[in-house]
Amino acid sequence: DGGITQSPKYLFRKEGQNVTLSCEQNLNHDAMYWYRQDPGQGLRLIYYSQIVNDFQKGDIAEGYSVSREKKESFPLTVTSAQKNPTAFYLCASSARWGVNKYEQYFGPGTRLTVT
Amino acid sequence: AQSVTQLDSQVPVFEEAPVELRCNYSSSVSVYLFWYVQYPNQGLQLLLKYLSGSTLVESINGFEAEFNKSQTSFHLRKPSVHISDTAEYFCAVIDFNAGGTSYGKLTFGQGTILTVHP
């Protein structure tokens, strides 16, 4: 089955530690996205990548970093510089061409708790 | 910049009652519109979308939404809800008039939690 996987589902870290969230897709999509979800605030875009080896900051990129070395993978690192990292993180992907090019497919999410 | 407003943060209804979840957006010139559904502790699933053509779009599970350009709205409706419709619903917009890196970017509303009671 084609889809997006995110691991782990739950992640716990101590304050001051960097942590990397995994996102893998086998949909052959060029574009990938990272969102942060907080209660009552909807989804906010952290970073996105339209193609391998290229990525752009979203609305709330401070304290986060990404890489896009492979088409299938778009890991997100939450650094110690992120002031309030506890949140639900969602990865998504979309095609760049065709009738469904603006339809984003989402992974199951990773809930990060930092204490 | 594009903004999306979902007017109700929570909507409680009884099973088999009709429901409307409201969504307004700020820019009307050239947009694509989406409704996504999220069940607890899961990712988002696309419910329906408006890209062009008929302003009334339908999903396979009985939801429908109507694109109203003059009122910049895309309200979601269902004539008879089921317990299994309990979830959070997000309205989202792609604004093609936003320049630079915002082109094609999805902007989400704050979400509406629909709770269906027996």
Side-chain angles (χ1 to χ4, degrees), chain A residues 9-10 35 37 40-43 45 48 50 56 59 88 90 99-100 102-109 111, chain B residues 32 34 36 38 41-46 49 51 88 90 94 96 101-106 108-111:
Chain A
K9 189 166 180 65
Y10 298 94
Y35 293 92
Q37 183 178 11
Q41 296 193 48
L43 277 71
L45 183 65
Y48 65 101
Q50 302 278 46
Q56 305 291 334
D59 299 319
F88 191 50
L90 288 159
V99 295
N100 293 324
Y102 295 111
E103 186 174 320
Q104 292 189 19
Y105 294 78
F106 284 81
R111 188 167 298 279
Chain B
Y32 285 176
F34 304 82
Y36 283 86
Q38 184 181 35
N41 291 312
Q42 294 186 25
L44 275 66
Q45 301 171 32
L46 182 67
K49 62 186 176 185
L51 305 182
E88 188 163 15
F90 291 93
I94 292 180
F96 292 96
T101 57
S102 295
Y103 186 89
K105 188 188 92 169
L106 260 180
F108 286 87
Q110 302 91 332

Side-chain angles (χ1 to χ4, degrees), chain B residues 33-73:
Chain B
L33 298 156
F34 304 82
W35 276 99
Y36 283 86
V37 59
Q38 184 181 35
Y39 299 100
N41 291 312
Q42 294 186 25
L44 275 66
Q45 301 171 32
L46 182 67
L47 190 59
L48 46 75
K49 62 186 176 185
Y50 170 78
L51 305 182
S52 63
S54 172
T55 57
L56 184 66
V57 291
E58 299 177 352
S59 72
I60 59 173
N61 58 352
F63 282 95
E64 63 179 31
E66 184 160 19
F67 169 52
N68 189 319
K69 187 173 182 178
S70 62
Q71 296 188 9
T72 61
S73 69

Side-chain angles (χ1 to χ4, degrees), chain B residues 22 24 41 44 51 62 77 85 87 110 112:
Chain B
R22 296 178 292 170
N24 287 89
N41 291 312
L44 275 66
L51 305 182
R77 302 184 183 95
D85 293 323
Q110 302 91 332
T112 298

